[in-house]
Amino acid sequence: LTCRRRADERTGVSGCSGEARMAKSARLRWRVASYKDGKRSVYGGPFVEQALAGAGFGGPVADDDWDLFYTHFPQGKAVEAAKLPKRAGRLVNHCQYFTAAGQKCHLAGHLARVELARALRGEGDAPGSKPRHLETYNLHTSQESAAWREAMRNQPERHWLVKTCSGGASRGITLVSSADEDTIAASIGTWSVAQEYLHQPLLSTGGRKFHMRLYLHVSRWE
């Protein structure tokens, strides 16, 4: 409407000027700078930047004229406080409420609650069926630490990965079995998780392990 009104005032002819047409066809813009502290680190580094560029996004931009705010920190409240101009279609990729996205102890608790809810609804997995996810215990709680020890006693041949709750980049990971009593005892009560080691995983080219990170945009939840 702005484009058409401007054209009418200047020429009396309906339609968009060349400048307006260029603006209309401009690429989508993405921002990474935090509205909390101004940090500009891109979670995923060059891979994410290249992926966004390949999808037609321009940026990262430093102003408030963006279509996608790409961040790995909860920014919902900060974005609201910034009082940005209202515009349809803006997307912030981080859920304000889901702290389990980047914290292994919270994720372990979230999965445990999901499985409990499924069991209460009679939707639990059938006996002997393959688990839906890797068996994981939050070692900061005495109940789950005891459950982990029980699992090791029942299957002493299994191996486990002990990971710090907020660790990343493959740092702070220890491979243990039931025979590593000193390491096990030292990890009990810490902000760590014990996760079953995946034997015979699918390997990539060159016999290397790999992982996939998937982002889903859930536009509606009922």
Side-chain angles (χ1 to χ4, degrees):
L1 295 176
T2 302
C3 165
R4 179 169 296 175
R5 183 166 57 251
R6 191 173 293 173
D8 288 343
E9 291 172 354
R10 292 182 179 180
T11 66
V13 179
S14 298
C16 295
S17 66
E19 179 181 352
R21 276 195 299 270
M22 290 179 62
K24 186 177 180 181
S25 62
R27 293 193 299 171
L28 296 173
R29 294 157 58 89
W30 69 284
R31 172 188 171 113
V32 70
S34 169
Y35 278 98
K36 288 183 177 180
D37 51 25
K39 290 183 179 179
R40 302 186 178 214
S41 59
V42 180
Y43 189 67
F47 175 81
V48 168
E49 295 179 356
Q50 294 169 10
L52 288 171
F57 282 83
V61 301
D63 56 35
D64 295 333
D65 182 19
W66 48 265
D67 301 281
L68 169 65
F69 183 20
Y70 185 87
T71 173
H72 61 292
F73 295 108
Q75 292 281 328
K77 294 179 181 178
V79 170
E80 291 178 5
K83 299 186 182 302
L84 303 174
K86 292 184 178 180
R87 192 172 83 203
R90 286 186 190 250
L91 175 65
V92 180
N93 81 304
H94 197 294
C95 298
Q96 182 73 26
Y97 60 87
F98 189 47
T99 57
Q103 220 271 15
K104 299 176 182 66
C105 288
H106 291 329
L107 179 58
H110 174 77
L111 292 176
R113 289 189 294 273
V114 168
E115 292 304 317
L116 176 60
R118 292 182 67 240
L120 292 175
R121 291 199 301 262
E123 301 174 359
D125 296 327
S129 62
K130 291 184 178 180
R132 294 159 54 89
H133 49 75
L134 295 176
E135 192 173 338
T136 306
Y137 298 92
N138 183 347
L139 301 184
H140 193 253
T141 70
S142 58
Q143 182 178 2
E144 295 208 17
S145 295
W148 179 43
R149 285 188 174 275
E150 179 67 20
M152 286 189 288
R153 282 193 293 270
N154 292 336
Q155 293 181 294
E157 73 283 359
R158 296 173 71 184
H159 286 76
W160 302 81
L161 293 175
V162 176
K163 310 176 183 181
T164 56
C165 292
S166 301
S170 298
R171 294 188 295 267
I173 299 178
T174 305
L175 179 65
V176 302
S177 68
S178 58
D180 301 310
E181 180 55 36
D182 291 343
T183 303
I184 293 170
S187 64
I188 298 297
T190 64
W191 286 105
S192 305
V193 296
Q195 186 178 77
E196 65 173 305
Y197 180 73
L198 181 62
H199 292 270
Q200 298 181 330
L202 176 65
L203 301 179
S204 180
T205 304
R208 292 179 175 272
K209 293 182 180 179
F210 66 98
H211 74 273
M212 294 187 295
R213 186 183 299 270
L214 305 178
Y215 290 92
L216 303 178
H217 174 211
V218 181
S219 61
R220 186 171 180 175
W221 187 280
E222 292 182 335

